[in-house]
C-alpha cells in the first residue's frame, strides 16, 4: 500500500493543512468534488469494494485469517487494508422487511475533524477540491485524528499509521473517476462537482417521494461543513439503520484543547520561561552551598 504525499500532488492546491497557522483557503462549491450514493438503486454487489481493493493494491485478510463473522458483509468493520466496506442491515419497516445497505468509508468532510485534531504539521491535508488525505511521512502516530472524526473512520496499522479512503486522489488528479464509481454496475454511484451531485440527488428524492418513500432525504450533514460523499436515503427518518450519525459534528473537546487550552498552555510555558529568565537576571544563578559538617561527626 502507498499513500499520496503532499509533495506528489502540489498541482491540486491545498485548502487546509493540519497544525498550520495559515487560514483555510476559500473553496468554491463549483470546484468541490463529490460522490453521490443512491442507496435506492444499490444491489449490494460489493463491486465497488472489490474495485477499491484492486486499485489500491490492498490485500485484505483471507477468510481463515478473519475473526469469526457471519453475514453478508465481507468484514465486521473497516481495517487498515480495507478502505471501504458495504454494510448490510435487515430492518422491518412499514413496507415490510427491507435491506438497509450503506457504502461506508471516509466521508471527506468540508470541515474535517481529523485535520483539526491532528497536532503534526502537514500530516493531514485538504485539497482545494475538498478531498482529505494523509501524508504518512509526517504522521507521528498519535491517533488524535480518530478522536476528531465523527464517523469513526481511520484505522491504524502496526506502526500506528492511519489509513482510509483517499477518494482515489491519484485517479481524480489525472481526470479519472474514482475506482468505486467506475465499477458500479447499477449506476448508483455518481461522480462530479458538489453542485451537480446535489441537483441529481434532489431529482432522485422527488422520484422516490412519488413512489411512496415520503421520508426520502439527502444526507449531507451541515455539522461538518457538508461531506464529499452524499447519500440519497429512501428512509431518511432511520439514519441509525444506515449506520450514519444523526448529528455529525466535531467533538467540542477538539475545539477546546486546540483553542483555549492550547493558548493557556502556551501562556504557562512562556510565563515559566520568562520567570526563570528574570530570576537569573535579578538574583543570579542559584548556588547550592556545601553542608557544614556536624560537630558530632568524626
Amino acid at each position: 500500500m502507498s499513500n499520496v504525499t503532499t509533495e506528489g500532488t502540489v498541482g491540486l492546491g491545498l485548502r487546509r493543512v493540519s497544525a498550520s497557522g495559515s487560514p483555510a483557503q476559500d473553496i468554491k462549491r463549483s470546484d468541490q468534488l463529490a460522490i453521490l450514493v443512491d442507496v435506492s438503486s444499490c444491489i449490494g454487489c460489493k463491486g465497488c469494494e472489490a474495485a477499491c481493493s484492486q486499485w489500491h493494491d490492498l490485500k485484505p485478510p483471507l477468510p481463515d485469517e478473519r475473526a469469526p463473522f457471519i453475514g453478508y458483509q465481507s468484514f465486521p468493520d473497516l481495517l487498515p487494508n480495507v478502505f471501504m466496506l458495504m454494510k448490510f442491515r435487515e430492518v422491518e419497516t412499514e413496507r415490510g422487511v427491507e435491506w438497509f445497505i450503506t457504502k461506508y468509508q471516509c466521508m471527506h468532510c468540508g470541515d474535517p475533524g481529523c485535520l483539526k485534531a491532528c497536532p503534526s504539521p502537514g500530516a493531514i491535508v485538504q485539497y482545494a477540491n475538498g478531498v482529505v488525505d494523509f501524508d504518512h511521512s509526517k504522521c507521528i502516530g498519535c491517533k488524535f485524528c480518530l478522536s476528531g472524526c465523527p464517523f469513526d473512520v481511520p484505522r491504524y496499522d502496526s506502526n500506528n499509521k492511519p489509513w482510509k479512503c483517499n477518494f482515489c486522489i491519484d485517479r481524480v488528479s489525472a481526470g479519472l473517476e474514482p475506482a468505486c464509481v467506475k465499477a458500479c454496475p447499477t449506476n448508483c454511484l455518481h461522480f462530479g462537482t458538489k453542485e451537480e451531485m446535489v441537483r441529481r440527488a434532489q431529482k432522485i428524492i422527488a422520484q422516490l417521494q412519488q413512489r411512496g418513500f415520503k421520508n426520502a432525504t439527502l444526507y449531507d450533514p451541515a455539522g461538518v461543513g457538508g461531506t464529499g460523499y452524499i447519500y440519497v436515503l429512501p428512509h431518511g427518518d432511520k439514519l441509525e439503520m444506515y449506520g450514519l450519525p444523526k448529528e455529525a459534528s466535531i467533538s467540542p473537546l477538539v475545539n477546546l484543547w486546540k483553542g483555549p487550552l492550547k493558548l493557556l498552555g502556551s501562556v504557562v510555558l512562556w510565563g515559566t520561561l520568562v520567570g526563570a529568565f528574570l530570576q537569573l537576571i535579578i538574583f543570579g544563578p542559584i548556588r547550592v552551598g556545601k553542608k557544614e559538617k556536624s560537630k558530632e561527626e568524626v
Side-chain angles (χ1 to χ4, degrees), residues 9 30 34 42 50 53 67 72 107 113 153 155 189 198 203 237 273:
T9 51
S30 59
C42 177
S53 294
Y72 287 100
M107 297 290 282
V153 167
R155 294 296 182 269
L189 298 180
V198 170
K203 292 179 181 179
D237 58 331
L273 293 176

Side-chain angles (χ1 to χ4, degrees), residues 96-278:
V97 177
E98 297 185 51
W99 279 109
F100 280 59
I101 306 173
T102 313
K103 185 177 184 294
Y104 186 57
Q105 72 290 300
C106 170
M107 297 290 282
H108 296 275
C109 303
D111 185 18
C114 60
L115 187 148
K116 278 191 169 182
C118 179
S120 179
I124 303 179
V125 298
Q126 183 180 37
Y127 301 115
N129 57 18
V131 175
V132 180
D133 197 13
F134 291 147
D135 185 345
H136 289 164
S137 67
K138 299 175 182 177
C139 174
I140 59 176
C142 66
K143 297 186 178 182
F144 280 10
C145 53
L146 182 58
S147 67
C149 177
F151 299 99
D152 189 34
V153 167
R155 294 296 182 269
Y156 302 89
D157 60 19
S158 57
N159 296 316
N160 283 335
K161 300 296 183 182
W163 296 90
K164 69 174 188 65
C165 160
N166 64 2
F167 214 85
C168 285
I169 190 63
D170 49 350
R171 291 177 60 91
V172 169
S173 61
L176 301 173
E177 59 188 356
C180 59
V181 179
K182 182 73 174 178
C184 181
T186 61
N187 202 33
C188 83
L189 298 180
H190 306 272
F191 170 69
T193 67
K194 185 70 176 283
E195 283 186 340
E196 294 171 343
M197 295 302 100
V198 170
R199 285 197 297 267
R200 182 184 288 267
Q202 290 169 345
K203 292 179 181 179
I204 297 172
I205 291 170
Q207 293 171 356
L208 286 172
Q209 290 174 343
Q210 289 177 359
R211 290 166 47 193
F213 293 92
K214 60 182 180 180
N215 294 313
T217 188
L218 172 66
Y219 187 78
D220 182 22
V224 290
T227 50
Y229 273 91
I230 59 177
Y231 293 74
V232 169
L233 304 176
H235 299 282
D237 58 331
K238 295 180 173 62
L239 293 179
E240 67 280 0
M241 296 303 175
Y242 292 105
L244 298 170
K246 290 183 178 180
E247 302 293 337
S249 60
I250 302 172
S251 170
L253 294 176
V254 172
N255 292 322
L256 179 64
W257 82 265
K258 293 284 281 190
L261 289 183
K262 184 177 180 180
L263 178 61
L264 179 61
S266 298
V267 170
V268 171
L269 174 62
W270 284 106
T272 302
L273 293 176
V274 169
F277 179 73
L278 292 177

Side-chain angles (χ1 to χ4, degrees), residues 7-49:
E7 289 79 1
T9 51
V10 174
L12 287 171
L14 296 176
R15 183 188 179 196
R16 286 190 180 96
V17 178
S18 61
S20 171
S22 302
Q25 301 298 315
D26 290 334
I27 182 171
K28 298 179 181 178
R29 192 177 176 88
S30 59
D31 294 335
Q32 186 177 359
L33 297 178
I35 292 176
L36 168 61
V37 184
D38 177 13
V39 174
S40 66
S41 60
C42 177
I43 60 174
C45 68
K46 298 190 282 190
C48 53
E49 192 177 297

Side-chain angles (χ1 to χ4, degrees), residues 33-83:
L33 297 178
I35 292 176
L36 168 61
V37 184
D38 177 13
V39 174
S40 66
S41 60
C42 177
I43 60 174
C45 68
K46 298 190 282 190
C48 53
E49 192 177 297
C52 177
S53 294
Q54 183 181 33
W55 178 257
H56 294 288
D57 194 25
L58 303 174
K59 295 179 175 57
L62 297 173
D64 57 347
E65 296 174 338
R66 305 174 194 170
F69 180 68
I70 299 175
Y72 287 100
Q73 290 178 205
S74 302
F75 307 94
D77 208 342
L78 295 175
L79 296 168
N81 50 358
V82 177
F83 291 177

